[in-house]
Amino acid sequence: MPTYTAPLRDIDFVLHEVLKVSQADIPGYEDLTPDLTGPVLEEAGKIASNVLAPLNRVGDQEGTSLVDGKVQVPNGFPEAINVLREGGWTSLDLDVDYGGQGLPKLMHMAAGECFSSANHAMVMYGGLTHGAWNTIFAHGTEAQKHTYLPKMANCEWFGTMNLTEPNCGTDLGLMRTSAEPQDDGSYKITGTKIFISAGDHEMGDNIIHLVLAKIPGGPEGIKGVSLFIVPKYLVNDDDSLGERNAVRAGRLETKMGIHGNATCEMNFEGATGYLLGQPNKGMSAMFTLVNEARIGTGAQGYCIAEAAYQNAVAYARERLQMRAVTGPANPDGPADPIIVHPDIRRTLMDQRSFIEGARVFAYWCTMQADRVSRTDDAGAQGLLSLVTPVFKAFSSDKGYEAATDAQQVLGGHGYIEEWGMSQFVRDVRIAKIYEGANGVQALDLVGRKLGADGGKHTMAYGVMIKGLADRLIQNEALTDMVGKPLMAGLGDFQSAGQYMMQNGMKDPNAALAGSTDFLHLMGHLTMGYMLALSAEAAQAALEAGTGDAAFYTQKLLTVRHYFNRHLPMTRMHLKRIQAGPETVMAPDAAAF
């Protein structure tokens, strides 16, 4: 059965040597010293390895079931949720006035990495609750916040998001769920939502559904969508639970992966709901949850890839097959371990370099989110908005690729269920789809984010990349390895952006046909930036002569692998963008 060990040394390196978090000018970060982060993440790692990881395969094999109208989760899940609940892990970064512990979001991300790698299907129950908590915190009235948030903080009550309907997914303006106003100020919510992660279960006393619906008489399309709080059980004035609301799980989806999470069809049959935020402003309110979920979904890509990679490495060290081409590496055995073979090493280094770069990317994004919430920094908000679709789509695309490569290391055994590698592939596959399919992320990036606010955030992104490249070009040890290649990648990004500006206005298909290539070009460039920061930190540590020289040397080797074999993909994506839309748009629909 697969195992997982939290990569605590790698996490510590990113926090304290690459990003230097305790030195960041973000309120609260001065407390994030190794004396705080070390013990917290060590405990998170123990829970991940000893409590959550052993249940990952249980969840995959048992799945969820709907029995007599109640959703049953896999054996061991309620007890594991209790461990997270009782340890305060569900509320690390939430506001102290509403049941949280007030730590920066970065601590939630770092601990969450360990939990997600160990058992993502289970983590989703609390993850959706966390997002719903933040949405009510941002847009709710004081009465709503006091009613719902304290019990949601520790997952005594859970939360969900309800967007998709049978007739509409990405185009939510087509939704049919209605919200009829009532004399007491509430609404009656009627409609069906599908693909609702953690939609129903019995692991908490209540579930607080956030539901998009249309108030009659509102504007057409997406402008007429409002957001509502719809509890599974109504809450009395004294905060006790009242009668069951008219919302139920109609069925459970049979899915490719994340079997341990209950993905439900939810039927609202005149259910009582309460407006959250302003009428007809539901999408802007819901995006509080969606944007958080997109960062979490991108993290899912590298987190599951990390678990798959660890098991691929363990197998490669033990599996004997053939001899090394340069001579026996295991002369006393009948064959050499496959980790000596160049192609196995190539795929392991591909996985490793992606995971290490994506970890920095994830933590960097979370630092921007902390900066926004703790300083109201408009520049950080713009930069985070720009890179969110890139992180979500690029990390989930490459995370799926890395998990598949890890499965490939095991050969035929990787295809056999008892080895557990297929679960990593199946579980991470959804990350490319939910929270906005990756093609939609690319359209959002090219169609909205690049030109937002006159393009100033895109320009700031370029200035950020150039600043690091200039600095590293002056570093004799790193100029050729990372400085100059990073600058070349920036040139490809600028050329791609110029193509989009020159051609996109007169022919939108010219921009949109290249949108996924543009996102991946930007993904590789941003990963290059993150890994260049890692190289700078590792090189400084080696020159200082402190710490584990082998650790820092391996960091540099990993960075060099990415810069030699992956960053050059920016040029390929540029060429594909510049090829234009002709071959994409020329065939008639009937020709496919």
Side-chain angles (χ1 to χ4, degrees):
M1 185 171 71
T3 60
Y4 167 74
T5 301
L8 297 179
R9 180 65 184 93
D10 289 326
I11 293 173
D12 182 84
F13 172 69
V14 173
L15 290 175
H16 299 296
E17 298 180 70
V18 178
L19 299 177
K20 300 180 175 65
V21 295
S22 64
Q23 301 173 34
D25 58 341
I26 303 173
Y29 270 52
E30 66 276 7
D31 296 328
L32 298 185
T33 65
D35 288 340
L36 171 67
T37 64
V40 171
L41 296 177
E42 182 178 1
E43 184 62 25
K46 290 178 182 177
I47 292 171
S49 297
N50 301 328
V51 178
L52 304 188
L55 293 172
N56 196 38
R57 192 175 182 196
V58 173
D60 186 57
Q61 293 179 329
E62 292 186 7
T64 59
S65 57
L66 185 59
V67 180
D68 296 329
K70 294 184 177 181
V71 173
Q72 297 182 351
V73 299
N75 284 315
F77 273 40
E79 293 78 8
I81 290 290
N82 278 335
V83 171
L84 298 178
R85 179 187 290 136
E86 292 168 2
W89 297 102
T90 62
S91 62
L92 281 179
D93 62 326
L94 303 182
D95 190 278
V96 294
D97 291 336
Y98 300 100
Q101 300 177 54
L103 289 173
K105 297 178 188 297
L106 185 60
M107 288 303 294
H108 175 74
M109 170 61 78
E113 173 187 329
C114 303
F115 300 151
S116 182
S117 292
N119 192 330
H120 187 76
M122 179 186 295
V123 168
M124 288 174 65
Y125 290 98
L128 272 297
T129 305
H130 189 275
W133 191 102
N134 278 322
T135 304
I136 296 173
F137 180 75
H139 302 284
T141 65
E142 282 302 315
Q144 288 172 336
K145 289 191 279 190
H146 282 288
T147 296
Y148 300 109
L149 296 187
K151 292 182 179 179
M152 292 175 70
N154 70 353
C155 287
E156 182 179 345
W157 295 357
F158 286 82
T160 70
M161 56 188 292
N162 290 251
L163 288 80
T164 305
E165 299 185 4
N167 60 295
C168 71
T170 301
D171 189 355
L172 291 170
L174 299 175
M175 72 171 56
R176 297 171 181 165
T177 299
S178 65
E180 292 283 348
Q182 303 299 299
D183 292 340
D184 64 357
S186 67
Y187 293 78
K188 292 298 183 185
I189 312 298
T190 301
T192 297
K193 300 290 186 177
I194 61 171
F195 306 156
I196 309 307
S197 300
D200 197 30
H201 52 86
E202 301 294 317
M203 292 191 292
D205 294 332
N206 206 356
I207 299 177
I208 310 305
H209 301 287
L210 300 190
V211 185
L212 288 177
K214 290 185 174 180
I215 301 172
E220 292 296 318
I222 199 68
K223 293 181 179 180
V225 173
S226 301
L227 183 61
F228 299 88
I229 296 172
V230 185
K232 179 178 178 178
Y233 291 95
L234 298 176
V235 183
N236 298 320
D237 291 340
D238 63 358
D239 292 336
S240 64
L241 293 183
E243 63 183 21
R244 174 72 185 262
N245 207 353
V247 51
R248 283 176 170 76
R251 66 187 179 93
L252 298 179
E253 303 292 352
T254 302
K255 310 184 297 292
M256 175 180 174
I258 55 170
H259 294 159
N261 194 268
T263 305
C264 303
E265 173 193 271
M266 300 301 299
N267 295 318
F268 299 85
E269 301 168 344
T272 299
Y274 308 95
L275 184 67
L276 179 59
Q278 298 300 310
N280 307 317
K281 301 292 184 181
M283 284 309 299
S284 60
M286 180 60 90
F287 265 98
T288 301
L289 194 160
V290 169
N291 285 332
E292 175 183 330
R294 286 177 175 170
I295 297 296
T297 301
Q300 179 185 348
Y302 89 84
C303 289
I304 294 179
E306 168 71 42
Y309 165 77
Q310 289 186 16
N311 287 276
V313 169
Y315 182 87
R317 287 172 173 160
E318 296 176 1
R319 173 68 170 176
L320 302 181
Q321 195 77 33
M322 302 187 297
R323 290 296 188 186
V325 294
T326 55
N330 177 35
D332 296 330
D336 291 330
I338 63 173
I339 202 167
V340 306
H341 301 308
D343 196 58
I344 295 294
R345 285 172 170 260
R346 174 197 59 79
T347 189
L348 291 175
M349 287 299 291
D350 286 348
Q351 296 164 52
R352 180 174 182 143
S353 60
F354 157 70
I355 292 164
E356 294 193 2
R359 177 177 292 116
V360 185
F361 197 173
Y363 291 15
W364 181 89
C365 285
T366 310
M367 287 183 71
Q368 306 315 305
D370 273 325
R371 189 179 297 279
V372 170
S373 65
R374 291 170 177 251
T375 69
D376 295 322
D377 186 325
Q381 178 62 69
L383 196 56
L384 180 61
S385 179
L386 174 68
V387 302
T388 291
V390 178
F391 179 65
K392 189 278 180 186
F394 187 77
S395 183
S396 57
D397 278 345
K398 294 301 180 181
Y400 176 69
E401 184 180 306
T404 303
D405 284 347
Q407 182 188 37
Q408 185 75 13
V409 169
L410 274 70
H413 292 297
Y415 198 68
I416 302 301
E417 287 295 331
E418 69 180 274
W419 287 82
M421 297 301 288
S422 74
Q423 183 184 352
F424 296 128
V425 175
R426 290 184 283 104
D427 282 358
V428 77
R429 180 63 179 86
I430 185 60
K432 292 161 59 76
I433 299 172
Y434 60 10
E435 310 308 339
N438 286 357
V440 175
Q441 301 299 319
L443 297 180
D444 178 48
L445 173 65
V446 170
R448 294 191 183 97
K449 300 301 174 60
L450 288 180
D453 295 327
K456 71 177 184 180
H457 306 302
T458 302
M459 289 186 282
Y461 169 85
V463 169
M464 179 184 76
I465 302 291
K466 185 177 185 299
L468 179 60
D470 283 339
R471 186 166 78 233
L472 294 180
I473 286 173
Q474 302 304 313
N475 186 321
E476 184 176 353
L478 299 176
T479 179
D480 291 328
M481 185 174 83
V482 293
K484 293 177 182 177
L486 187 63
M487 189 69 80
L490 176 60
D492 292 337
F493 171 76
Q494 292 168 333
S495 295
Q498 185 176 33
Y499 175 89
M500 293 292 185
M501 288 188 293
Q502 291 175 346
N503 296 276
M505 291 297 292
K506 59 185 178 183
D507 180 9
N509 286 332
L512 300 184
S515 59
T516 291
D517 279 294
F518 191 94
L519 185 146
H520 274 250
L521 190 162
M522 193 171 171
H524 279 297
L525 179 60
T526 312
M527 288 281 279
Y529 176 85
M530 301 303 165
L531 285 168
L533 291 174
S534 298
E536 187 176 41
Q539 183 63 36
L542 284 174
E543 291 175 357
T546 59
D548 183 353
F551 175 85
Y552 297 116
T553 298
Q554 183 58 55
K555 291 298 176 192
L556 290 173
L557 290 172
T558 302
V559 173
R560 187 171 69 182
H561 179 85
Y562 194 89
F563 271 71
N564 284 351
R565 289 180 170 263
H566 294 277
L567 188 61
M569 298 288 278
T570 59
R571 182 57 52 89
M572 180 203 74
H573 288 299
L574 172 62
K575 295 299 182 183
R576 288 165 58 157
I577 292 166
Q578 293 173 335
E582 287 76 18
T583 61
V584 174
M585 303 306 298
D588 292 332
F592 285 92

